[in-house]
Amino acid sequence: MSTGEALEREIVDLARRAREAARETARLGRRAKDAWLLRAAERLEAERDAVLDANRRDLAAAREKGLTPPMVARLDLDGGRWRDMIAGLREVAALDDPVGEVTRMWVRPNGLRVGRMRIPLGVIGIIYESRPNVTVDAAALCVKAGNAVVLRGGSEAIHSNVALGAALRAAARDVGVPEDAIAVVPHTDRAAIDVLLRQDRYVDLIIPRGGPALIRKVNETSTIPVIKHDAGVCHVYLDASADPEMAVAIVRDSKIRQMSVCNGLETLLAHRAAARTALPLVLKALREEGVELRGCPETCALCPDAVPAGEADWGTEYLDKILAVRVVDDLDAAVAHIQRYGSDHTEVIVTSDYASAQRFLREVGSSVVGVNCSTAFSDGQRLGLGAEIGISTSRLHAYGPMGLESLTTQKFVLYGEGQLRE
């Protein structure tokens, strides 16, 4: 048997076992699923040193390969990210179980009661880059929603992902949950992705999280339905009536708080009137934070340190201390810019005008649209969903941050008293 044949057989078997496990997880009650989540948190805490040793191997290899600092930062599991990951497991355990919830009920003229009930999707394949914490976050949400999950992380995080997956599977064995409900593809060979994307017999949904090349590959290759979690080219627009102090605070938090995340600010737009009031203060604050500004001619006139922006800058997800800045004529021009260059992720308007705020909310079609707040709120936890599987930029089934409910579908349930269709 060739190496390629052996790899294909292994991935097919992994998907098949996940399908069998999904039938069991669909029947699990909340108590069993929460027991696994809490045991997983305990297991990971007990095995922290071993997991972080594996993570350090990935970090060292990433630096040796010359990965950029933002990409290396995404790999690091230590510190706050570890605490958040463990806390996320316990937070998901505290969430209500969506499975079995009847979301609507109505009565037909013949007395037949009709309802919609939430059920698991089945087997979810998640293909992602960098961020090994996704392994834990995704598994927690998928299993709590009654699904099985097949996880294929990037080659740059292989040691971290395998170590995390082993702890999650061991926790499942400890509490009697099927361990094959949590499957980590242990190979860095990209051929494994191609095989997984053809397993429509066993896998119900694919969720890719990563850069444009990964999203494009998955869309072109998969025989399984796909929900994209695309790049975050996020915008803040300073309207003519933007309060200068609020503008500075929102832009700083959106850009500086954490730059290696998809909800970080990448392009700042300003109304011509705001370019005389709020924008100079915002640019000054950004330069004091060491942010490189890539601006239109008006921006460069306001900030001599700014670099002239090229066409490619308007659609770039930098994930770094770089920000594209453009002065626009009005709200119409801001919306047109977002529609042309945005990625349907997160957009915010800073304004004191109610009519402008409502127009922005109606006319911008991104998955998260805000008024007078940081783009950082585009996050499942911050929106009250608990941990998130990611932020969908696909409009079918789920759009925006995906929590537990987004990992279920709904079936019709009928309650009759002998009704016949005659």
Side-chain angles (χ1 to χ4, degrees):
M1 182 186 300
S2 69
T3 302
E5 290 172 332
L7 176 65
E8 179 166 1
R9 178 172 292 185
E10 182 177 352
I11 300 302
V12 170
D13 185 61
L14 182 147
R16 179 188 57 76
R17 286 186 282 115
R19 166 60 70 193
E20 292 173 356
R23 297 189 183 100
E24 296 182 51
T25 55
R27 296 194 297 267
L28 291 176
R30 175 176 178 174
R31 182 177 297 179
K33 292 183 285 191
D34 289 351
W36 169 72
L37 288 161
L38 297 174
R39 180 57 180 151
E42 293 172 355
R43 273 272 189 180
L44 285 168
E45 289 283 44
E47 298 175 24
R48 173 175 177 159
D49 290 345
V51 173
L52 291 182
D53 280 346
N55 185 235
R56 281 188 282 271
R57 291 177 64 188
D58 290 328
L59 289 168
R63 294 187 183 101
E64 192 173 313
K65 290 177 182 176
L67 267 65
T68 63
M71 291 300 293
V72 174
R74 285 186 163 203
L75 285 172
D76 195 352
L77 275 177
D78 207 355
R81 189 164 287 159
W82 179 271
R83 290 192 298 273
D84 289 347
M85 185 177 72
I86 300 301
L89 286 164
R90 297 187 171 113
E91 288 167 6
V92 173
L95 294 174
D96 290 338
D97 187 348
V99 178
E101 176 191 2
V102 176
T103 60
R104 288 184 61 201
M105 182 70 73
W106 61 97
V107 181
R108 299 295 295 145
N110 64 356
L112 184 70
R113 289 187 294 156
V114 182
R116 303 298 307 276
M117 178 184 287
R118 292 194 184 280
I119 60 172
L121 287 170
V123 178
I124 300 173
I126 303 180
I127 301 171
Y128 51 105
E129 298 172 332
S130 305
R131 300 188 182 283
N133 58 296
V134 171
T135 301
V136 174
D137 296 345
L141 285 167
C142 287
V143 175
K144 178 71 182 245
N147 303 291
V149 63
V150 178
L151 299 151
R152 202 289 185 177
S155 59
E156 66 280 359
I158 184 63
H159 299 102
S160 306
N161 290 332
V162 169
L164 291 167
L168 296 175
R169 288 170 64 87
R173 291 193 299 272
D174 291 344
V175 298
V177 167
E179 64 179 305
D180 287 330
I182 309 103
V184 175
V185 177
H187 299 286
T188 59
D189 190 333
R190 292 187 179 183
I193 297 178
D194 296 333
V195 176
L196 178 60
L197 293 176
R198 295 194 299 269
Q199 301 312 306
D200 50 283
R201 179 179 177 185
Y202 301 121
V203 180
D204 299 284
L205 178 69
I206 293 288
I207 300 177
R209 293 183 55 172
L214 173 65
I215 302 296
R216 185 169 56 252
K217 175 185 175 59
V218 170
N219 275 333
E220 292 173 353
T221 308
S222 182
T223 61
I224 304 164
V226 175
I227 293 181
K228 295 187 296 183
H229 292 243
D230 218 335
V233 182
C234 303
H235 298 78
V236 169
Y237 166 60
L238 308 182
D239 194 33
S241 63
D243 177 80
E245 288 187 13
M246 181 186 292
V248 170
I250 287 174
V251 171
R252 282 175 58 119
D253 190 69
S254 297
K255 183 62 188 176
I256 303 300
R257 183 193 60 86
Q258 195 174 354
M259 284 171 288
S260 63
V261 292
C262 63
N263 60 13
L265 174 62
E266 301 294 11
T267 297
L268 174 64
L269 303 173
H271 190 288
R272 289 199 180 280
R276 297 189 296 271
T277 55
L279 185 59
L281 297 175
V282 171
L283 298 180
K284 181 176 182 291
L286 291 169
R287 290 300 297 136
E288 288 173 353
E289 294 284 355
V291 176
E292 176 186 321
L293 303 175
R294 299 186 182 180
C296 65
E298 292 92 335
T299 300
C300 292
L302 288 170
C303 181
D305 289 343
V307 177
E311 179 68 15
D313 286 306
W314 306 124
T316 297
E317 183 186 36
Y318 297 107
L319 302 173
D320 204 350
K321 277 194 171 183
I322 303 171
L323 183 68
V325 185
R326 183 176 232 172
V327 176
V328 296
D329 289 333
D330 51 24
L331 177 58
D332 287 333
V335 172
H337 178 104
I338 292 168
Q339 290 172 338
R340 179 174 179 181
Y341 297 104
S343 60
D344 287 336
H345 200 290
T346 302
E347 331 296 349
V348 166
I349 183 174
V350 182
T351 185
S352 300
D353 183 75
Y354 177 81
S356 293
Q358 294 305 305
R359 272 196 62 201
F360 192 82
L361 290 175
R362 285 195 309 271
E363 296 180 18
V364 174
S366 298
S367 65
V368 178
V369 185
V371 177
N372 295 335
C373 61
S374 171
T375 61
F377 285 104
S378 181
D379 174 88
Q381 196 167 38
R382 296 295 179 182
L383 296 180
L385 305 180
E388 66 179 29
I389 204 79
I391 298 176
S392 168
T393 54
S394 298
R395 293 177 186 243
L396 290 179
H397 180 70
Y399 196 36
M402 291 180 65
L404 283 176
E405 290 183 359
S406 298
L407 298 174
T408 64
T409 188
Q410 295 188 61
K411 67 181 177 183
F412 285 90
V413 292
L414 312 178
Y415 292 91
E417 297 174 329
Q419 285 89 338
L420 304 176
R421 181 175 175 179
E422 297 176 345

